[in-house]
Amino acid sequence: MKKLTIPLTLLISISLIGTASALTFSNSSNNNNSSSKSTQSTKVDVAVAGISIENDPNLEFFKPPQKPYPTGKLYWFGYKWQMADFNKDGYSDVLYIGVMNPNNVEWTGEDTSGLCGGGKCKGKKPLPSLYLGDANNKLTYSPELLIDNREDSGMSLGYRALVADYNKDDILDFYIADTAVGTHNGFRDSYFLSQPNGTWLESSETHLSHSNFEVFDHGGATGDIDNDGDMDVVITELKWKTGTALWCLINDGTGYLNKRKCGGIFSFALELADMDGDGDLDVLLGAHEFEKSTDFTGIVWNDGRGNFNKHNKTRLPQHKKKWGAVPEVSVADLDNDGDLDIVYSRAGKLYVGTAIQIIENLGKKKFKDHGIFPLVEAPDDYIATHEGNEWNDFIEDIRFRDLDKDGDIDLYLSSSMSRKTDGVVLLNHGDFTFEILHPYVAKIVDGIIVTKAPVSEEQKAEEQSLEDELAALEAELAAESGQ
């Protein structure tokens, strides 16, 4: 086998604002990432959303390696990550989830439901991967800390890692929404709760009312939807026979989650945020706008008790002609006016190309579409035949941070499936104008944007050649190991 020399990629450090701990949610007017409302002198009790945890500006943030060892062997694809201070030592840790390596791959059809001949993919299912960080942003793989004693342990297709303190012991836990690979009928989820000995135990059997509930939860979010002081979980449902669009897993205060129907509308992407400033969390939904059965993109309003009546909704602008797939949605206060604006990740049919849509919150349930920001576009005459096409590209996660320290919130985008868009930054210049910084053009060091020299076509070709060689090597290793 030919030896391949690969240049190392340094972690990109990004400095922070504030000094509070990872589980502190400020109501001050300077904290624009929180879903809570701002007050100058009075503390207001408002519902906490998971986006407040994953975008906590007081936690050190850096770009983690895309495939640290041994995730390249554990996961087929995916490598989605959440950064948080899991062991509460003051340093950023990283939790990775991904897709199992099936032993019966046989691609049929257009989408991922046909990856294993139209049936469930079979093989060993991997656990999540936890890497503990230190003062130098060095990550240490710590598999001994995650315990899953189920007979059929691990993930099929871990799609959402919903991080929150579910059992209220002041340590972060995580619920993994598992959509399943090789079928669109869903797979049971995983639920890891922190233990007194410093480990996380998969606790579905003891802390979920329905531990083997299978659902195609393409969207999922966490937050206190009923304002009782603990974190709940909301997941999408795409099994038409049940007639249920959203399932709510309601926390009893100890980490035990009771499953109940809670309304909603069929959708793919989901986030929880207080969009009208009334103190409770509403549901933002992103559609698969190419299909009439899942074509609602917009907000379903919380009735104040954690229910989302499908008739109490606000539609948001669609772009179904070219960018009708919506794999992700998130929110932040992009214009410093005290309310939350909306960012949708969009893709073309069969995930051809990707773009970002930004919608301004005008208040009083009124919104203004600032349109599409294309990131990757296929040629106009390109026609894909399945999702695994050469132009497949979509933003999996949208994170928010004041990256250039100018007082407003910028966007950091991640995509484990694409080197073209993983690490793209949308630099906020105010008035909803954004500068797109691609990872091969610019980087961020200590909060300062550093622009690289223009990349020549020869350099791009050399980089692509290296990526192709790396992919070939990985395929060769997989063949040798029988995967």
Side-chain angles (χ1 to χ4, degrees):
M1 179 188 303
K2 183 171 64 173
K3 182 178 179 181
L4 176 65
T5 301
I6 305 172
L8 296 176
T9 302
L10 297 177
L11 300 180
I12 300 176
S13 298
I14 299 177
S15 58
L16 311 172
I17 303 172
T19 58
S21 68
L23 292 179
T24 298
F25 303 104
S26 171
N27 286 327
S28 72
S29 59
N30 290 328
N31 187 358
N32 297 310
N33 288 326
S34 175
S35 64
S36 58
K37 294 177 294 187
S38 301
T39 63
Q40 292 183 351
S41 59
T42 303
K43 182 177 180 180
V44 179
D45 291 329
V46 295
V48 175
I51 52 174
S52 301
I53 298 172
E54 67 183 51
N55 291 302
D56 180 4
N58 304 303
L59 182 70
E60 186 171 10
F61 176 85
F62 57 88
K63 179 181 178 181
Q66 192 175 66
K67 293 195 297 184
Y69 181 85
T71 57
K73 292 185 176 181
L74 293 175
Y75 309 136
W76 186 13
F77 57 87
Y79 309 102
K80 300 186 72 174
W81 54 270
Q82 287 291 359
M83 188 173 292
D85 183 5
F86 286 100
N87 61 351
K88 210 173 180 183
D89 64 353
Y91 303 118
S92 298
D93 311 310
V94 185
L95 179 74
Y96 290 85
I97 58 175
V99 183
M100 65 181 289
N101 273 303
N103 55 25
N104 63 327
V105 175
E106 182 186 348
W107 191 297
T108 60
E110 288 185 344
D111 56 40
T112 54
S113 66
L115 284 177
C116 295
K120 288 186 177 181
C121 289
K122 300 177 181 179
K124 184 178 179 181
K125 299 179 182 68
L127 292 181
S129 298
L130 179 63
Y131 293 77
L132 298 182
D134 61 18
N136 299 315
N137 292 338
K138 180 181 178 182
L139 298 174
T140 301
Y141 180 49
S142 305
E144 72 280 0
L145 298 181
L146 304 186
I147 301 170
D148 187 346
N149 292 324
R150 292 174 295 183
E151 183 176 348
D152 185 16
S153 64
M155 302 174 292
S156 175
L157 193 163
Y159 193 67
R160 288 277 178 257
L162 308 178
V163 175
D165 180 13
Y166 294 106
N167 58 7
K168 301 186 75 171
D169 64 352
D170 208 25
I171 299 293
L172 292 173
D173 314 293
F174 45 97
Y175 183 99
I176 298 174
D178 197 322
T179 68
V181 62
T183 173
H184 281 175
N185 293 323
F187 188 67
R188 56 103 179 106
D189 294 337
S190 299
Y191 186 35
F192 286 83
L193 291 175
S194 56
Q195 303 299 305
N197 64 358
T199 64
W200 284 262
L201 176 66
E202 205 296 316
S203 303
S204 293
E205 289 292 333
T206 58
H207 284 76
L208 294 183
S209 62
H210 296 73
S211 60
N212 291 308
F213 176 57
E214 292 190 352
V215 56
F216 184 54
D217 42 4
H218 197 280
T222 183
D224 184 6
I225 64 171
D226 51 2
N227 277 331
D228 64 351
D230 52 41
M231 298 294 280
D232 312 300
V233 169
V234 181
I235 53 178
T236 57
E237 164 70 286
L238 289 172
K239 285 185 178 178
W240 316 115
K241 293 181 180 180
T242 68
T244 301
L246 297 179
W247 289 102
C248 289
L249 283 61
I250 304 300
N251 198 333
D252 71 351
T254 69
Y256 186 88
L257 303 180
N258 289 285
K259 177 176 70 71
R260 67 167 171 83
K261 298 179 180 181
C262 52
I265 299 173
F266 293 115
S267 64
F268 267 51
L270 183 153
E271 191 54 89
L272 293 169
D274 182 6
M275 297 307 301
D276 54 359
D278 64 352
D280 55 36
L281 299 177
D282 309 299
V283 165
L284 286 96
L285 300 177
H288 204 296
E289 296 169 355
F290 299 119
E291 300 179 15
K292 290 184 178 181
S293 58
T294 55
D295 69 347
F296 177 79
T297 294
I299 304 168
V300 184
W301 303 99
N302 193 331
D303 68 355
R305 299 183 299 274
N307 301 301
F308 307 95
N309 189 302
K310 66 180 180 180
H311 300 295
N312 186 18
K313 65 182 185 294
T314 297
R315 283 188 175 271
L316 294 173
Q318 296 189 344
H319 292 271
K320 64 173 62 179
K321 184 176 181 180
K322 182 175 181 179
W323 303 107
V326 185
E328 174 66 327
V329 56
S330 195
V331 299
D333 185 0
L334 299 177
D335 54 355
N336 287 328
D337 66 350
D339 56 31
L340 296 171
D341 308 297
I342 303 168
V343 181
Y344 278 109
S345 161
R346 286 187 169 270
K349 195 169 186 178
L350 297 179
Y351 293 91
V352 173
T354 190
I356 289 294
Q357 177 190 11
I358 297 179
I359 300 174
E360 180 183 359
N361 188 343
L362 301 175
K364 298 182 179 181
K365 297 185 179 181
K366 302 294 183 182
F367 300 88
K368 178 181 178 180
D369 185 15
H370 286 272
I372 292 293
F373 296 78
L375 302 177
V376 173
E377 293 187 89
D380 292 337
D381 59 351
Y382 180 77
I383 300 176
T385 57
H386 55 76
E387 288 182 359
N389 61 78
E390 61 184 305
W391 286 97
N392 180 297
D393 203 312
F394 63 95
I395 299 302
E396 296 170 333
D397 288 291
I398 305 164
R399 294 174 175 87
F400 301 97
R401 185 74 53 138
D402 184 4
L403 297 175
D404 56 356
K405 300 181 181 180
D406 65 349
D408 53 32
I409 298 299
D410 309 301
L411 282 69
Y412 179 87
L413 311 177
S414 60
S415 173
S416 66
M417 304 293 289
S418 171
R419 292 182 181 271
K420 297 177 183 176
T421 52
D422 185 49
V424 166
V425 169
L426 266 66
L427 204 61
N428 190 345
H429 290 311
D431 296 324
F432 289 91
T433 59
F434 296 86
E435 179 184 359
I436 300 175
L437 301 178
H438 291 277
Y440 55 81
V441 173
K443 64 179 181 178
I444 300 166
V445 179
D446 294 331
I448 304 299
I449 304 298
V450 180
T451 303
K452 300 178 182 178
V455 180
S456 67
E457 292 301 320
E458 290 78 13
Q459 287 174 307
K460 290 181 181 180
E462 183 179 351
E463 181 176 326
Q464 185 62 52
S465 176
L466 178 61
E467 291 183 11
D468 293 343
E469 193 173 356
L470 177 59
L473 177 63
E474 290 182 341
E476 186 177 347
L477 291 171
E480 289 180 355
S481 61
Q483 296 177 347

